[in-house]
Amino acid sequence: MKRYSANRRQFLRQVSTGAISTCALGLLQKGSWFAESALAQGAAPSSAARVYVDTRRTVAPLDRNLFGSFLEHLGRAIYEGIYDPGSKLSDSNGYRKDVLNEIRKLGVPIIRYPGGNFVSGYNWLDGVGPKQNRPRVLDKAWDTLESNQFGTNEFLAWCREAGTLPLMGLNLGTGTAEEAAALVEYCNVDKGTKWSDLRRQHGVADPWKVQHWCLGNEMDGPWQIGHMSATEYGLKAADAARQMRYVDPDLKLIACGSSGVFMPTYLEWDREVLEQCYNYVDGLSLHRYFGNFERDSGGDTAKYLALNVTMERQIEETLAVCDLVRGHKRSPKKLWLSFDEWNVWYRTTGGDDVNGHRKEAPHLLEEVYNLEDALLVGGLLNSLVRNADRVKIACLAQLVNVIAPIMTNADEFFEQTIYYPYSWALQFARGAVLNLLVESSTYEVKGMDPVAHVDVAGTLDHEGGKLSLFILNRDLSKSHDVEVVWRTVLPAKSRRDRF
Ligand code: AHR
């Protein structure tokens, strides 16, 4: 890979000479991940794709929380993943040092925790206080034994060390609104109240000041512990939000939207929920897992690589519902979306892959990813970036061992294919998201509009003077020339690269 970078002054000089700093990611050229960027200054090629960059046309400042992730008490994500007191690779807190370093190095901005389906049966009180007193409980979501040796304080301390923010999930399944507010008090109030003093007794003097909270998980799903109707959930979410804000008014609260487009209640659930709680929340969640299988693309790779287009449609439709309810409420507030579970997941969705058989830290959802999965993940990241004006949080589900970019064993950790597009987004996407105009040849996919061979998203870091383009070639048969034409206050220039 060749990467061009420059400070602001160099950037402007390079723009005027045709050597803009560009990072091109997510490529499919004869089995390689990256194409060498060949600069063709002044050339006027007839290319298959052309990207028009106007540095003044931006979508929104990029919220880094768009590249968040997720750690659930599920399989080996926590135990044997990030926490393994018995391991030679762990520190005195039991944190896996190699994994912690890797996550810190990646710069994951926000991590959702503790679930997922797990959270809907979780009593947070089981996971705080002296470890020897914590109960071993049966997690009914994944039929797993939960030792509770890792809980709220361990996670929040781990987040500090990993340089990431927590996105805390609340149990609105078996849990009550009062218990949710109690957890906020435990985490965020300094002292002098029942729950803040309990935290202090547990050895944590300073409040954690957790800002982002998910009001439950996938409450539309019949599989969810405590599943209820949209109206019931909306009322419960509103009540929890009100009680939580009495404790701490500075919270960012996310209501549960539909858990997938496949749900029979898709969008109708979102509307009914928001009719009850619109005024009390800031964001709405949406989830989606993709796969190259019957339901999504039927094993057709060309179609599979186009599926990120359907993610954008899901975003568009969900926003339409948010804005409809906004209209009903005559509210000045515009909600944002939290795409807090997204990934490829279709191989390990049944049988022993989702049943812990009452063991501790069983091997669950250990999906093995290939090249086409990584390419789709790159496309999905592009889709999120393009929608950065309204999608403010998104979580690659998940981070370690469970449908994850990072896997561990007793001796080391290793990266799966999907790690790479994710790490490139984390590394290179900075500043403002660009509103690009892309011209590309297209191909036909049944049931979809013509799909562009070349999918592009871009960011511009005005401060650092760096333009980053994330380019996915969906064409399985050949490489594509991509000409980048950019316009600034200086005269327009162009360059041409092959992907
Ligand atoms: O990420 C795995 C599971 O997928 C989560 O627990 C749940 O929320 C979703 O259905």
Side-chain angles (χ1 to χ4, degrees), residues 8-130:
R8 187 176 170 76
R9 188 168 292 160
Q10 283 167 335
F11 170 72
L12 291 173
R13 199 168 53 235
Q14 286 175 346
V15 165
S16 66
T17 59
I20 198 164
S21 69
T22 301
C23 170
L25 307 176
L27 311 168
L28 186 65
Q29 187 190 30
K30 299 192 183 104
S32 73
W33 286 103
F34 292 104
E36 286 292 304
S37 298
L39 208 58
Q41 291 184 26
S46 62
S47 57
R50 187 172 285 157
V51 184
Y52 294 92
V53 178
D54 183 334
T55 56
R56 290 159 301 188
R57 283 176 59 86
T58 57
V59 174
L62 177 72
D63 191 327
R64 300 276 304 161
N65 288 342
L66 202 58
F67 305 131
S69 193
F70 179 28
L71 284 166
E72 178 168 359
H73 281 253
L74 197 187
R76 300 188 308 121
I78 303 294
Y79 307 108
E80 295 187 16
I82 63 166
Y83 178 78
D84 198 351
S87 163
K88 60 185 181 203
L89 299 172
S90 294
D91 65 14
S92 57
N93 294 315
Y95 301 153
R96 273 281 294 246
K97 282 186 284 187
D98 53 343
V99 178
L100 185 65
N101 284 338
E102 180 58 25
I103 293 168
R104 191 188 301 117
K105 204 176 80 199
L106 268 174
V108 181
I110 192 164
I111 298 181
R112 185 164 175 255
Y113 169 91
N117 296 339
F118 171 82
V119 80
S120 297
Y122 180 55
N123 183 346
W124 65 266
L125 278 167
D126 290 343
V128 293

